[in-house]
Amino acid sequence: MSLIEITRQRQRLDELFDKAKSLPDAEVQSHWSRYLCVLVSGFLENSVRITYTEYARKRADHSVADFVENRLRQFQNPKMGTILELAGGFSQEWKQRLEKDTTGRLSESVNSIVGNRHKIAHGESVGLTLHTLIQYYGDALRVVDLLRQQCGL
């Protein structure tokens, strides 16, 4: 996977959000919101993995980059704490900066995406509206942009 994959997934999500916004029925929008939440969580997970893999590919020896990529295959559940821990593995300064930049709404949105995804996957009820998910998605995009900036990508 490459940075192009992040762009491709983002474009697909943007198109799906546009379709969901045009649905006139609130109940159907609610179902779409659950589906989109799962996709946004996957997008966030893939974006973190791809960003740090690409950083390692550009900055490290081939064997080190392979090691990083192999380890990142295990990265799941992209809650903000997990992302911060991963950033700290590259640089404590990155972790501190990212924590400062995401404290509050950005962090809460990322955690809500993953938390709702877990509930959806386990058949639990969620009170997730399309309007709320659109905000969460925008915040997740901001977090991905922050990661990419830190990595110089």
Side-chain angles (χ1 to χ4, degrees), residues 53-130:
T53 296
E54 288 296 314
Y55 174 78
R57 292 253 168 252
K58 288 182 182 227
R59 301 288 301 244
D61 180 75
H62 181 70
S63 61
V64 174
D66 285 347
F67 175 79
V68 169
E69 182 176 13
N70 191 31
R71 286 298 181 146
L72 287 172
R73 284 187 188 128
Q74 300 168 16
F75 178 75
Q76 296 178 330
N77 303 319
K79 287 192 172 185
M80 206 61 229
T82 309
I83 295 170
L84 290 170
E85 185 178 310
L86 190 56
F90 285 90
S91 164
Q92 283 301 307
E93 183 181 317
W94 282 7
K95 178 183 178 180
Q96 292 166 357
R97 181 68 186 175
L98 189 60
E99 187 169 26
K100 181 178 180 251
D101 290 345
T102 60
T103 296
R105 185 173 132 173
L106 294 182
S107 179
E108 291 166 10
S109 291
V110 166
N111 291 339
S112 292
I113 290 166
V114 177
N116 279 305
R117 188 213 49 201
H118 284 298
K119 288 180 181 179
I120 293 164
H122 293 283
E124 295 180 37
S125 250
V126 294
L128 186 62
T129 66
L130 183 60

Coordinates of all heavy atoms in Angstrom, one line a residue, residues 53-130:
T53 N 4.7 3.6 7.5 CA 5.4 2.7 6.6 C 6.2 3.5 5.6 O 7.4 3.3 5.3 CB 4.5 1.7 5.9 OG1 3.9 0.8 7.0 CG2 5.2 0.8 4.9
E54 N 5.5 4.5 5.0 CA 6.1 5.3 3.9 C 7.2 6.1 4.6 O 8.3 6.3 3.9 CB 5.1 6.2 3.3 CG 4.1 5.5 2.3 CD 4.8 4.9 1.1 OE1 5.7 5.6 0.5 OE2 4.6 3.7 0.9
Y55 N 7.0 6.6 5.8 CA 8.1 7.4 6.4 C 9.3 6.5 6.6 O 10.5 6.9 6.3 CB 7.6 7.8 7.8 CG 8.7 8.5 8.6 CD1 9.1 9.8 8.3 CD2 9.4 7.8 9.6 CE1 10.2 10.4 9.1 CE2 10.4 8.4 10.3 CZ 10.8 9.7 10.1 OH 11.8 10.2 10.8
A56 N 9.1 5.2 7.0 CA 10.3 4.3 7.2 C 10.9 4.0 5.9 O 12.2 3.9 5.8 CB 9.8 3.0 7.9
R57 N 10.2 3.8 4.8 CA 10.7 3.5 3.5 C 11.6 4.7 3.0 O 12.6 4.4 2.4 CB 9.6 3.3 2.5 CG 8.8 2.1 2.7 CD 9.2 1.0 1.7 NE 8.6 -0.3 2.2 CZ 9.3 -1.3 2.6 NH1 10.6 -1.2 2.7 NH2 8.7 -2.4 3.1
K58 N 11.2 5.9 3.3 CA 12.0 7.1 2.9 C 13.2 7.3 3.7 O 14.2 7.9 3.3 CB 11.1 8.3 2.8 CG 10.1 8.3 1.7 CD 9.3 9.6 1.7 CE 8.3 9.5 0.6 NZ 8.2 10.7 -0.2
R59 N 13.2 7.0 5.0 CA 14.2 7.4 5.9 C 15.1 6.3 6.4 O 16.2 6.6 6.9 CB 13.6 8.0 7.2 CG 12.7 9.2 6.9 CD 13.5 10.4 6.5 NE 14.4 10.8 7.6 CZ 14.4 11.9 8.3 NH1 13.5 12.8 8.0 NH2 15.3 12.1 9.2
A60 N 14.7 5.0 6.3 CA 15.5 4.0 6.9 C 16.1 3.0 5.8 O 15.6 3.0 4.7 CB 14.6 3.2 7.9
D61 N 17.0 2.2 6.3 CA 17.5 1.1 5.5 C 16.4 0.2 5.1 O 15.4 0.1 5.9 CB 18.6 0.4 6.3 CG 19.2 -0.8 5.5 OD1 20.0 -0.5 4.6 OD2 18.8 -1.9 5.9
H62 N 16.5 -0.5 4.0 CA 15.5 -1.4 3.5 C 15.0 -2.4 4.6 O 13.8 -2.7 4.8 CB 15.9 -2.1 2.2 CG 14.9 -3.0 1.6 ND1 13.8 -2.6 1.0 CD2 14.9 -4.4 1.6 CE1 13.1 -3.6 0.6 NE2 13.7 -4.7 0.9
S63 N 16.0 -3.0 5.3 CA 15.6 -4.0 6.3 C 14.9 -3.4 7.5 O 13.9 -4.0 8.0 CB 16.9 -4.8 6.8 OG 17.8 -3.9 7.4
V64 N 15.2 -2.2 7.8 CA 14.5 -1.5 8.9 C 13.1 -1.2 8.5 O 12.1 -1.4 9.2 CB 15.3 -0.3 9.4 CG1 14.5 0.5 10.4 CG2 16.6 -0.7 10.0
A65 N 13.0 -0.7 7.3 CA 11.7 -0.3 6.7 C 10.8 -1.6 6.6 O 9.6 -1.5 6.9 CB 11.8 0.3 5.4
D66 N 11.3 -2.7 6.2 CA 10.6 -4.0 6.2 C 10.1 -4.3 7.6 O 9.0 -4.8 7.8 CB 11.4 -5.1 5.6 CG 11.6 -5.0 4.1 OD1 10.9 -4.2 3.5 OD2 12.5 -5.7 3.6
F67 N 11.0 -4.2 8.6 CA 10.6 -4.5 10.0 C 9.4 -3.6 10.4 O 8.5 -4.1 11.0 CB 11.8 -4.3 10.9 CG 11.5 -4.5 12.3 CD1 11.4 -5.7 12.9 CD2 11.3 -3.4 13.1 CE1 11.1 -5.9 14.2 CE2 11.0 -3.5 14.5 CZ 10.9 -4.8 15.0
V68 N 9.6 -2.3 10.1 CA 8.5 -1.4 10.5 C 7.2 -1.8 9.9 O 6.1 -1.8 10.5 CB 8.9 0.1 10.2 CG1 7.7 1.0 10.4 CG2 10.1 0.5 11.1
E69 N 7.2 -2.0 8.6 CA 6.0 -2.4 7.9 C 5.4 -3.7 8.4 O 4.2 -3.8 8.6 CB 6.3 -2.6 6.4 CG 5.1 -2.9 5.6 CD 5.4 -3.0 4.1 OE1 6.5 -3.1 3.7 OE2 4.4 -3.1 3.3
N70 N 6.3 -4.6 8.7 CA 5.8 -5.9 9.3 C 5.1 -5.7 10.7 O 4.0 -6.2 10.9 CB 6.9 -6.9 9.4 CG 6.5 -8.3 9.8 OD1 5.4 -8.7 9.4 ND2 7.3 -9.0 10.5
R71 N 5.7 -4.9 11.5 CA 5.1 -4.6 12.8 C 3.8 -3.8 12.7 O 2.9 -4.0 13.4 CB 6.1 -3.7 13.7 CG 7.2 -4.5 14.2 CD 6.7 -5.6 15.1 NE 7.8 -6.4 15.6 CZ 7.9 -6.9 16.8 NH1 6.8 -6.8 17.6 NH2 8.9 -7.5 17.2
L72 N 3.7 -2.9 11.7 CA 2.5 -2.1 11.5 C 1.4 -2.9 11.0 O 0.2 -2.4 11.1 CB 2.8 -0.9 10.6 CG 3.7 0.2 11.3 CD1 4.1 1.3 10.2 CD2 2.9 0.9 12.4
R73 N 1.6 -4.0 10.4 CA 0.5 -4.9 10.0 C -0.4 -5.3 11.2 O -1.5 -5.6 11.0 CB 1.0 -6.1 9.3 CG 1.5 -5.9 7.9 CD 1.9 -7.1 7.2 NE 2.5 -6.8 5.9 CZ 3.7 -7.3 5.5 NH1 4.4 -8.2 6.2 NH2 4.2 -6.9 4.4
Q74 N 0.2 -5.3 12.3 CA -0.5 -5.7 13.5 C -1.3 -4.5 14.2 O -2.1 -4.7 15.1 CB 0.4 -6.3 14.6 CG 1.2 -7.5 14.1 CD 2.3 -7.8 15.0 OE1 2.4 -7.4 16.1 NE2 3.3 -8.7 14.5
F75 N -1.1 -3.3 13.6 CA -1.8 -2.1 14.2 C -3.3 -2.2 13.9 O -3.7 -2.3 12.8 CB -1.2 -0.9 13.6 CG -1.8 0.4 14.0 CD1 -1.6 0.9 15.3 CD2 -2.7 1.1 13.2 CE1 -2.2 2.0 15.8 CE2 -3.3 2.2 13.7 CZ -3.0 2.7 15.0
Q76 N -4.0 -2.1 15.0 CA -5.5 -2.1 14.9 C -6.1 -1.2 15.9 O -5.4 -0.7 16.8 CB -6.0 -3.5 15.2 CG -5.6 -4.6 14.2 CD -6.2 -5.9 14.6 OE1 -6.4 -6.3 15.7 NE2 -6.4 -6.8 13.6
N77 N -7.4 -1.0 15.8 CA -8.1 -0.1 16.8 C -7.4 1.2 17.0 O -6.8 1.5 18.0 CB -8.2 -0.9 18.1 CG -8.9 -2.2 18.0 OD1 -9.9 -2.3 17.2 ND2 -8.4 -3.2 18.6
P78 N -7.5 2.1 16.0 CA -6.7 3.3 16.0 C -7.3 4.4 16.9 O -7.6 5.5 16.5 CB -6.8 3.8 14.5 CG -8.1 3.3 14.1 CD -8.2 1.9 14.7
K79 N -7.4 4.0 18.2 CA -7.8 5.0 19.2 C -6.7 6.0 19.3 O -5.5 5.7 19.0 CB -8.2 4.4 20.5 CG -9.5 3.7 20.5 CD -9.9 3.3 21.9 CE -11.3 2.8 21.8 NZ -11.9 2.5 23.2
M80 N -7.0 7.2 19.8 CA -5.9 8.2 19.9 C -4.7 7.8 20.8 O -3.6 8.1 20.4 CB -6.6 9.5 20.4 CG -5.8 10.8 19.9 SD -5.8 10.9 18.1 CE -4.0 11.2 17.9
G81 N -5.0 7.1 21.9 CA -3.9 6.7 22.7 C -3.0 5.7 22.0 O -1.8 5.8 22.2
T82 N -3.5 4.9 21.2 CA -2.7 3.9 20.4 C -1.9 4.6 19.4 O -0.7 4.3 19.1 CB -3.7 2.8 19.8 OG1 -4.5 2.3 20.8 CG2 -2.8 1.7 19.2
I83 N -2.5 5.6 18.7 CA -1.8 6.4 17.7 C -0.7 7.2 18.4 O 0.4 7.2 17.9 CB -2.8 7.3 17.0 CG1 -3.8 6.5 16.2 CG2 -2.0 8.3 16.1 CD1 -4.9 7.3 15.6
L84 N -0.9 7.8 19.5 CA 0.1 8.5 20.2 C 1.2 7.6 20.7 O 2.4 8.0 20.6 CB -0.5 9.2 21.5 CG -1.4 10.4 21.2 CD1 -2.1 10.8 22.5 CD2 -0.7 11.5 20.6
E85 N 0.9 6.4 21.1 CA 1.9 5.4 21.5 C 2.8 5.1 20.3 O 4.0 5.0 20.4 CB 1.3 4.2 22.1 CG 2.2 3.1 22.6 CD 1.4 2.0 23.2 OE1 0.5 2.2 24.0 OE2 1.8 0.8 22.8
L86 N 2.2 4.9 19.2 CA 2.9 4.6 17.9 C 3.8 5.7 17.5 O 5.0 5.5 17.2 CB 1.9 4.2 16.8 CG 2.5 3.7 15.5 CD1 3.3 2.4 15.8 CD2 1.3 3.4 14.6
A87 N 3.3 7.0 17.6 CA 4.1 8.1 17.3 C 5.3 8.2 18.2 O 6.4 8.6 17.7 CB 3.2 9.4 17.4
G88 N 5.1 7.9 19.5 CA 6.2 8.0 20.4 C 7.2 7.0 20.1 O 8.4 7.1 20.5
G89 N 6.9 5.9 19.5 CA 7.9 4.9 19.0 C 8.8 5.4 18.0 O 10.0 5.0 17.9
F90 N 8.4 6.4 17.3 CA 9.2 7.1 16.3 C 10.0 8.3 16.9 O 11.1 8.5 16.6 CB 8.4 7.6 15.1 CG 8.0 6.5 14.1 CD1 6.8 5.8 14.3 CD2 8.8 6.1 13.1 CE1 6.4 4.7 13.5 CE2 8.5 5.1 12.2 CZ 7.3 4.4 12.4
S91 N 9.2 9.0 17.7 CA 9.8 10.2 18.3 C 9.0 10.7 19.5 O 7.8 10.9 19.3 CB 9.9 11.3 17.3 OG 10.2 12.6 17.9
Q92 N 9.6 10.9 20.6 CA 8.8 11.4 21.8 C 8.3 12.8 21.5 O 7.2 13.2 21.9 CB 9.6 11.4 23.1 CG 9.7 10.0 23.7 CD 8.4 9.4 24.0 OE1 7.6 10.0 24.7 NE2 8.1 8.2 23.5
E93 N 9.1 13.5 20.7 CA 8.7 14.9 20.3 C 7.4 14.8 19.5 O 6.5 15.6 19.6 CB 9.8 15.6 19.6 CG 9.5 17.0 19.2 CD 10.6 17.7 18.4 OE1 11.8 17.5 18.8 OE2 10.3 18.4 17.5
W94 N 7.4 13.9 18.5 CA 6.2 13.7 17.7 C 5.0 13.4 18.6 O 3.9 13.9 18.4 CB 6.4 12.6 16.7 CG 7.2 12.9 15.5 CD1 7.9 14.0 15.3 CD2 7.4 12.1 14.4 NE1 8.5 13.9 14.1 CE2 8.2 12.7 13.5 CE3 6.9 10.8 14.1 CZ2 8.6 12.2 12.3 CZ3 7.3 10.2 12.9 CH2 8.2 11.0 12.0
K95 N 5.2 12.5 19.5 CA 4.0 12.1 20.4 C 3.5 13.3 21.2 O 2.3 13.6 21.2 CB 4.5 11.0 21.4 CG 3.4 10.6 22.4 CD 3.9 9.6 23.4 CE 2.8 9.3 24.4 NZ 3.3 8.3 25.3
Q96 N 4.4 14.1 21.8 CA 4.0 15.3 22.5 C 3.3 16.3 21.7 O 2.3 16.9 22.1 CB 5.2 15.9 23.2 CG 5.8 15.0 24.3 CD 7.2 15.4 24.8 OE1 7.8 16.3 24.2 NE2 7.7 14.7 25.8
R97 N 3.8 16.5 20.5 CA 3.2 17.5 19.6 C 1.9 17.0 19.1 O 0.9 17.8 19.1 CB 4.2 17.7 18.4 CG 3.6 18.7 17.4 CD 3.7 20.1 18.0 NE 3.0 21.0 17.1 CZ 2.8 22.3 17.4 NH1 3.1 22.8 18.6 NH2 2.2 23.1 16.5
L98 N 1.8 15.8 18.8 CA 0.5 15.2 18.3 C -0.5 15.2 19.4 O -1.7 15.6 19.2 CB 0.7 13.8 17.8 CG -0.5 13.1 17.1 CD1 -0.9 13.9 15.9 CD2 -0.1 11.7 16.7
E99 N -0.1 14.9 20.6 CA -1.0 14.9 21.8 C -1.6 16.4 22.0 O -2.7 16.6 22.2 CB -0.3 14.4 23.0 CG -1.2 14.3 24.2 CD -0.6 13.5 25.3 OE1 0.7 13.6 25.5 OE2 -1.3 12.9 26.1
K100 N -0.7 17.3 21.9 CA -1.1 18.7 22.1 C -2.0 19.2 21.0 O -3.0 19.8 21.2 CB 0.2 19.6 22.0 CG -0.1 21.1 22.2 CD 1.2 21.9 22.2 CE 0.9 23.4 22.4 NZ 1.1 24.1 21.2
D101 N -1.7 18.7 19.7 CA -2.6 19.2 18.6 C -3.9 18.5 18.5 O -4.8 18.9 17.8 CB -1.8 18.9 17.3 CG -0.6 19.9 17.1 OD1 -0.6 20.9 17.8 OD2 0.2 19.6 16.2
T102 N -4.0 17.3 19.2 CA -5.3 16.5 19.1 C -6.1 16.5 20.4 O -7.2 16.0 20.4 CB -5.0 15.1 18.6 OG1 -4.2 14.5 19.6 CG2 -4.4 15.0 17.3
T103 N -5.6 17.1 21.4 CA -6.3 17.1 22.7 C -7.7 17.8 22.5 O -7.8 18.8 21.8 CB -5.5 17.9 23.8 OG1 -4.3 17.1 24.0 CG2 -6.3 18.0 25.1
G104 N -8.7 17.1 23.0 CA -10.1 17.7 22.9 C -10.8 17.0 21.8 O -10.9 15.8 21.7
R105 N -11.4 17.8 21.0 CA -12.4 17.3 20.0 C -11.8 16.3 19.0 O -12.4 15.3 18.7 CB -12.9 18.5 19.2 CG -14.0 18.1 18.2 CD -14.7 19.2 17.6 NE -14.7 19.0 16.1 CZ -15.4 19.8 15.3 NH1 -16.0 20.9 15.8 NH2 -15.4 19.6 14.0
L106 N -10.6 16.5 18.5 CA -10.0 15.6 17.5 C -9.8 14.2 18.2 O -10.2 13.2 17.6 CB -8.6 16.1 17.0 CG -8.7 17.4 16.1 CD1 -7.3 17.7 15.6 CD2 -9.6 17.2 15.0
S107 N -9.2 14.2 19.3 CA -9.0 13.0 20.1 C -10.4 12.3 20.4 O -10.5 11.1 20.2 CB -8.3 13.2 21.4 OG -8.1 12.0 22.1
E108 N -11.3 13.0 20.8 CA -12.7 12.5 21.1 C -13.3 11.9 19.9 O -14.0 10.8 19.9 CB -13.5 13.5 21.8 CG -13.1 13.9 23.2 CD -13.7 15.2 23.7 OE1 -14.7 15.7 23.0 OE2 -13.3 15.7 24.7
S109 N -13.2 12.6 18.8 CA -13.8 12.1 17.5 C -13.2 10.8 17.1 O -13.9 9.8 16.7 CB -13.7 13.1 16.4 OG -14.5 14.2 16.7
V110 N -11.9 10.7 17.1 CA -11.2 9.5 16.7 C -11.6 8.3 17.6 O -11.9 7.2 17.2 CB -9.6 9.6 16.8 CG1 -8.9 8.3 16.7 CG2 -9.2 10.5 15.6
N111 N -11.6 8.6 18.9 CA -12.1 7.5 19.9 C -13.5 7.1 19.7 O -13.9 6.0 19.9 CB -11.8 8.0 21.3 CG -10.3 8.1 21.6 OD1 -9.5 7.5 21.0 ND2 -10.0 8.8 22.6
S112 N -14.4 8.1 19.3 CA -15.8 7.8 19.1 C -15.9 6.9 17.8 O -16.8 6.0 17.8 CB -16.6 9.1 18.9 OG -16.6 9.8 20.2
I113 N -15.2 7.2 16.8 CA -15.2 6.4 15.6 C -14.9 4.9 15.9 O -15.7 4.0 15.6 CB -14.2 6.9 14.5 CG1 -14.7 8.2 14.0 CG2 -14.1 5.9 13.4 CD1 -13.6 9.0 13.2
V114 N -13.8 4.7 16.6 CA -13.4 3.3 16.9 C -14.4 2.7 17.9 O -14.8 1.5 17.8 CB -12.0 3.3 17.5 CG1 -11.6 1.9 17.9 CG2 -11.0 3.8 16.4
G115 N -14.8 3.4 18.9 CA -15.8 2.9 19.9 C -17.1 2.5 19.3 O -17.7 1.5 19.5
N116 N -17.6 3.4 18.4 CA -18.9 3.0 17.7 C -18.7 1.9 16.7 O -19.6 1.0 16.6 CB -19.4 4.3 16.9 CG -20.1 5.2 17.8 OD1 -21.1 4.8 18.5 ND2 -19.7 6.5 17.8
R117 N -17.5 1.8 16.1 CA -17.3 0.7 15.2 C -17.3 -0.7 16.0 O -17.9 -1.6 15.5 CB -15.9 0.8 14.5 CG -15.7 -0.3 13.5 CD -14.4 -0.9 13.2 NE -13.7 -1.3 14.4 CZ -12.4 -1.4 14.4 NH1 -11.6 -1.1 13.4 NH2 -11.7 -1.8 15.5
H118 N -16.7 -0.7 17.2 CA -16.8 -1.9 18.0 C -18.2 -2.3 18.3 O -18.6 -3.4 18.3 CB -16.0 -1.7 19.3 CG -14.5 -1.8 19.1 ND1 -13.9 -2.9 18.6 CD2 -13.5 -0.9 19.3 CE1 -12.6 -2.7 18.5 NE2 -12.3 -1.5 18.9
K119 N -19.0 -1.3 18.7 CA -20.4 -1.5 19.1 C -21.2 -2.1 17.9 O -21.9 -3.0 18.0 CB -21.1 -0.3 19.6 CG -20.6 0.1 21.0 CD -21.3 1.4 21.5 CE -20.8 1.8 22.8 NZ -21.5 3.0 23.3
I120 N -20.9 -1.5 16.7 CA -21.6 -1.9 15.5 C -21.2 -3.3 15.2 O -22.1 -4.2 14.8 CB -21.3 -0.9 14.3 CG1 -21.9 0.5 14.6 CG2 -21.7 -1.5 13.0 CD1 -21.3 1.6 13.7
A121 N -19.9 -3.6 15.2 CA -19.4 -4.9 14.9 C -20.0 -6.0 15.8 O -20.1 -7.2 15.4 CB -17.9 -5.0 14.9
H122 N -20.3 -5.6 17.0 CA -20.9 -6.6 18.0 C -22.4 -6.5 18.1 O -22.9 -7.1 19.1 CB -20.2 -6.4 19.4 CG -18.7 -6.7 19.3 ND1 -18.2 -8.0 19.3 CD2 -17.6 -5.9 19.2 CE1 -16.9 -8.0 19.3 NE2 -16.5 -6.8 19.2
G123 N -23.0 -5.9 17.2 CA -24.5 -5.8 17.1 C -25.1 -5.0 18.2 O -26.3 -5.1 18.4
E124 N -24.4 -4.1 18.8 CA -25.0 -3.2 19.8 C -25.6 -2.0 19.1 O -25.3 -1.6 18.0 CB -23.9 -2.7 20.8 CG -23.3 -3.8 21.6 CD -22.3 -3.3 22.6 OE1 -22.4 -2.2 23.1 OE2 -21.3 -4.0 22.8
S125 N -26.5 -1.4 19.8 CA -27.1 -0.1 19.3 C -26.2 1.0 19.4 O -25.5 1.2 20.4 CB -28.4 0.1 20.1 OG -29.5 -0.1 19.4
V126 N -26.2 1.9 18.4 CA -25.5 3.2 18.5 C -26.4 4.3 18.1 O -27.2 4.1 17.2 CB -24.2 3.1 17.6 CG1 -23.2 2.1 18.1 CG2 -24.5 2.9 16.2
G127 N -26.2 5.4 18.7 CA -27.0 6.6 18.4 C -26.3 7.5 17.5 O -26.1 8.7 17.8
L128 N -25.7 7.0 16.5 CA -24.8 7.8 15.6 C -25.6 8.3 14.4 O -26.2 7.6 13.7 CB -23.7 6.8 15.0 CG -22.6 7.4 14.2 CD1 -21.8 8.4 15.0 CD2 -21.7 6.3 13.7
T129 N -25.6 9.7 14.3 CA -26.3 10.3 13.2 C -25.3 10.6 12.1 O -24.1 10.7 12.4 CB -26.9 11.6 13.6 OG1 -25.9 12.6 14.0 CG2 -27.9 11.4 14.8
L130 N -25.8 10.8 10.9 CA -24.9 11.2 9.8 C -24.2 12.5 10.1 O -23.0 12.6 9.8 CB -25.7 11.3 8.5 CG -24.9 11.5 7.2 CD1 -23.8 10.5 7.0 CD2 -25.8 11.7 6.0

